[in-house]
Structure formats: C-alpha cells, structure tokens
Amino acid sequence: MLSQYQRSLAISPDGRYLAYLSGTGALVGQAVLRRLDQLEVRLVTPEVNADEIFFSPDSEWLGFIEPSGEIKKIALSGGPIVPVAQKLGIAGGASWADDNSIFFSTLDPASGILRLPAGGGEPAVVSKADPALKEIDHTTAMALPGSRTVLTAIVPPGGQNLSIGAVDVKTSRVKSLLPGNTPTYVDVPTDRGIEGVIVFGQGGALRAVRFDARRLELVGEPITLIENVQSTSTGRTQYA
C-alpha cells in the first residue's frame, strides 16, 4: 500500500517515459521507470523509498522526495543518486521548473510553497496560507512554463473542498481559480493553435479547463475527462 500523501506516477515532458512507485514490504515506494515504447521496466531506486516523483524539464533526470523529506535526483542514463536538499518535511507536491529550480510543498502549513535550486541550496518561501482568507495550507506546487507562476491546492479549515490557486512567484500573491485538487498545467495543440489547459481532480473525477496563463484566467467551463479516479486520503488525485 502506498503512502496516503504521495502522487505515485509521472510522465516525462518529452512523452517518452512513465515513472511510478511500486515495491513491497518496507520498500513500498521504489521508483520504477518504463519507456512508453517498450514493455520492460527498470527499478531506478532499488534501495530508496519515495513519497513523490517528478521529471526535469529536459526529461534527463527523475527527482524524488523520500518519506524523511530529503529531495534527491537521479539521471535516467544511470549513475548515483544525487542529494538536493536535506529533510524538509513530508512531501505535499513538487515540480521541476524550466529555470532549473524545484518548487515543492510539505504537509507542514508553516512552510507553505518553497523553491530550491535543482543543483542544491537553501529553500526560499514562495507563498504561505493566509488565515485571514480562511486558508490552512498551500499544498501541491505545479510550475507553469516561464517559472513565474505556480499552481497550488488551497486547503480550507477542516481539510475538505480544496480549491486551486495561481501563485505569482515574485509577489507571492495568490489568485483563486476554481474548486479542485492536484492541478497540472499542459499546453494542448488545437485547431486554434496552442492552448493552455489545467487538468485537476474534483469529486473523484479528473477534469480539465482552458486557462490563459498570461492573464491567469480560466477560459470557458470545466469538462469531465474520466470518472472514478483513485485519490489518496488527503485528496490528491492519482494521474499524470
């Protein structure tokens, strides 16, 4: 059984790889890698558990956070596991931005969303929950292209009915967007050109809505992609 906190699968930005958490017994969070054009799988963290996995923007590295809160990375081409940051808390979500920084959150409301150089260094606070707005925590940290905005899930009192917000990295201002959890941003080719889309979990379903990333505004109404998607006990929808 996987941790109640983690998001247990990820797809590389170039679309070539699927990574997911597997294992048995004490090593239940080992990271497994598979090329999507092959059936064979490769265990990439044979001696290490993970609570969160995420790819680098160039699809050359797999980042992961251990249950202890240590952030590490490993090259897909092989080699040793490389430490990035020491024990920072139980993972609440992470993404590797195109400016080579890692945005992440923990389950400690006091830490909020943090930013860390992927090569290592001290974390800096990006945003924290505002009790005056009836916020308990900002969990999940999905960096948008350009590394100027991060999508997060805003936790209200009681921990139910999360909402999605867009965080301005420079000002720490948070713009509330819509109810939901575990947001991911993707660029989608359409007959109108490339359009931004936020994919997110809501009420046990995976949903999507068009999104203007420059203005931080929703375009149109959300649609349901698929029903009955697995979620963790903390409300994180399992998808990539």
Side-chain angles (χ1 to χ4, degrees):
M1 182 176 180
L2 296 177
S3 162
Q4 61 178 320
Y5 305 118
Q6 65 202 4
R7 186 166 172 182
S8 60
L9 68 165
I11 294 177
S12 62
D14 64 7
R16 292 187 301 155
Y17 294 98
L18 169 69
Y20 59 93
L21 299 179
S22 184
T24 59
L27 292 175
V28 72
Q30 296 171 299
V32 175
L33 187 70
R34 178 194 154 192
R35 283 186 60 110
L36 290 176
D37 60 354
Q38 299 176 3
L39 295 178
E40 293 79 11
V41 299
R42 175 163 62 96
L43 187 61
V44 291
T45 61
E47 305 296 332
V48 178
N49 284 356
D51 262 356
E52 183 82 18
I53 49 176
F54 50 95
F55 283 96
S56 62
D58 61 7
S59 303
E60 297 294 331
W61 293 81
L62 182 69
F64 61 94
I65 305 178
E66 294 184 356
S68 65
E70 293 183 77
I71 300 178
K72 298 181 178 180
K73 62 183 181 180
I74 186 169
L76 300 193
S77 59
I81 293 174
V82 180
V84 176
Q86 294 302 311
K87 301 173 182 178
L88 297 172
I90 297 173
S95 63
W96 195 325
D98 53 18
D99 68 349
N100 206 33
S101 60
I102 294 173
F103 290 88
F104 64 98
S105 65
T106 73
L107 295 189
D108 179 2
S111 66
I113 295 177
L114 301 169
R115 184 183 195 178
L116 178 78
E122 291 297 318
V125 175
V126 175
S127 74
K128 287 188 177 182
D130 186 349
L133 298 176
K134 296 184 178 180
E135 298 176 353
I136 299 300
D137 199 5
H138 292 168
T139 183
T140 303
M142 174 65 193
L144 269 62
S147 308
R148 296 183 296 272
T149 305
V150 175
L151 296 178
T152 189
I154 302 170
V155 184
Q160 302 296 318
N161 301 317
L162 279 65
S163 61
I164 295 169
V167 181
D168 185 305
V169 172
K170 288 187 177 180
T171 66
S172 296
R173 293 175 180 169
V174 183
K175 182 175 182 179
S176 183
L177 298 175
L178 77 169
N181 66 76
T182 328
T184 296
Y185 175 87
V186 290
D187 284 322
V188 178
T190 72
D191 54 7
R192 297 179 294 270
I194 300 296
E195 294 187 348
V197 172
I198 294 176
V199 181
F200 61 99
Q202 186 185 60
L206 192 63
R207 310 197 74 198
V209 62
R210 292 166 57 200
F211 181 63
D212 186 328
R214 186 174 61 86
R215 297 185 178 183
L216 303 184
E217 293 180 354
L218 302 179
V219 180
E221 296 296 321
I223 62 169
T224 298
L225 302 178
I226 187 170
E227 300 277 4
N228 301 317
V229 180
Q230 183 184 27
S231 297
T232 68
S233 61
T234 53
R236 303 186 68 197
T237 304
Q238 295 288 354
Y239 75 98

